Amino acid sequence: MIEHLFSTPICVVDTQGIMFDEVQTEIENALPKLKELIRKIGDEEYPWIEENLQTTFKYLNESGSESYQKANIINTFNLSNLKELILMVFDSYCKELQINSSEFELVESWLNIFEKENFMRAHSHAYPGLISGVYYYQAHVTCGDIVFENPNPIIEYYEGVEKLSPPGTYKIVESKSGRVIIFPAYLKHRVQPNRSDKKRIGFAFNFRIKK
């Protein structure tokens, strides 16, 4: 008998109906202020981010000083419908894993805007996050999908190891408007280049156990 151990739980949910409309409208109304925040932040280099990517990952707090990995854009801009959606999907994710979602809190969230040819290198959210995710406000065909890398640490060094670790060395999950993806923060992932003429806009977020 074979028992599969140490699987990696990834949740993919597509939002529809009234909730989708409410979340999209809420984000649409907030985007001008979010883009203004990006303009104030200016350009910043990160090793995993393509140099022209627009992001609120570095956040200017109310005093005007910089704060790294502290921003929670969803709370700051009162995106209550988006937060409700994320918490609902997160709760379902936790229930399936038989863990208590009430022990966690949404500690970080930030906006990423991918123009044509923008991409993101492989990275993880392992600190301070424990469980991470993304919501796609705007995504189109060829705008760049998210690619999860197999967490087996030797898979890229030894030929044939991927046969023991399905689905292979990586898994591509399509980017779609209204889609929520939740995954362990330790899981490395990257974003393919945006080959379309339209922007790819999404909100990334992290949960951790409450202190």
Side-chain angles (χ1 to χ4, degrees):
M1 176 181 176
I2 295 177
E3 183 177 1
H4 293 274
L5 300 175
F6 312 121
S7 63
T8 306
I10 300 175
C11 175
V12 180
V13 174
D14 292 326
T15 315
Q16 298 176 338
I18 295 175
M19 177 165 279
F20 171 78
D21 294 337
E22 290 178 343
V23 171
Q24 294 291 99
T25 299
E26 179 178 70
I27 294 172
E28 181 182 5
N29 292 336
L31 270 179
K33 291 184 178 179
L34 285 164
K35 290 178 179 178
E36 177 63 17
L37 175 61
I38 291 174
R39 188 192 66 77
K40 289 181 180 179
I41 291 172
D43 295 331
E44 181 70 18
E45 292 185 3
Y46 301 98
W48 61 91
I49 295 178
E50 196 270 338
E51 62 180 354
N52 296 318
L53 179 70
Q54 300 176 58
T55 179
T56 63
F57 184 77
K58 183 181 76 171
Y59 174 65
L60 298 179
N61 61 31
E62 291 180 359
S63 67
S65 60
E66 297 175 357
S67 176
Y68 293 84
Q69 295 185 311
K70 300 290 185 183
N72 196 334
I73 292 300
I74 290 174
N75 284 347
T76 302
F77 286 81
N78 194 29
L79 300 176
S80 57
N81 292 324
L82 175 57
K83 186 173 184 178
E84 180 183 357
L85 169 63
I86 290 171
L87 291 176
M88 182 180 69
V89 177
F90 180 75
D91 184 63
S92 176
Y93 179 85
C94 289
K95 283 181 179 177
E96 191 160 339
L97 295 177
Q98 298 182 350
I99 57 179
N100 187 355
S101 62
S102 65
E103 296 179 356
F104 292 82
E105 60 181 340
L106 181 66
V107 291
E108 292 182 329
S109 60
W110 61 96
L111 172 71
N112 292 324
I113 301 178
F114 290 75
E115 301 275 1
K116 188 171 184 178
E117 302 302 333
N118 283 164
F119 63 92
M120 190 173 289
R121 300 177 181 88
H123 64 285
S124 72
H125 298 189
Y127 180 82
L130 185 62
I131 299 174
S132 300
V134 61
Y135 174 80
Y136 297 113
Y137 165 70
Q138 182 173 294
H140 310 275
V141 177
T142 72
C143 74
D145 294 328
I146 189 169
V147 182
F148 292 103
E149 298 188 355
N150 192 316
N152 187 323
I154 66 169
I155 198 164
E156 61 181 296
Y157 303 109
Y158 293 92
E159 183 178 356
V161 173
E162 72 278 1
K163 298 182 186 300
L164 301 176
S165 302
T169 56
Y170 62 88
K171 173 68 176 180
I172 298 174
V173 179
E174 182 183 359
S175 302
K176 293 175 61 178
S177 297
R179 172 164 284 184
V180 180
I181 304 175
I182 294 182
F183 52 92
Y186 66 77
L187 187 61
K188 273 195 172 184
H189 53 284
R190 53 190 166 87
V191 178
Q192 297 171 325
N194 181 358
R195 303 300 188 192
S196 76
D197 293 321
K198 298 180 179 179
K199 296 177 182 178
R200 175 185 185 271
I201 303 175
F203 290 80
F205 51 86
N206 288 329
F207 285 88
R208 74 177 178 196
I209 294 177
K210 294 177 181 177
K211 294 183 177 180

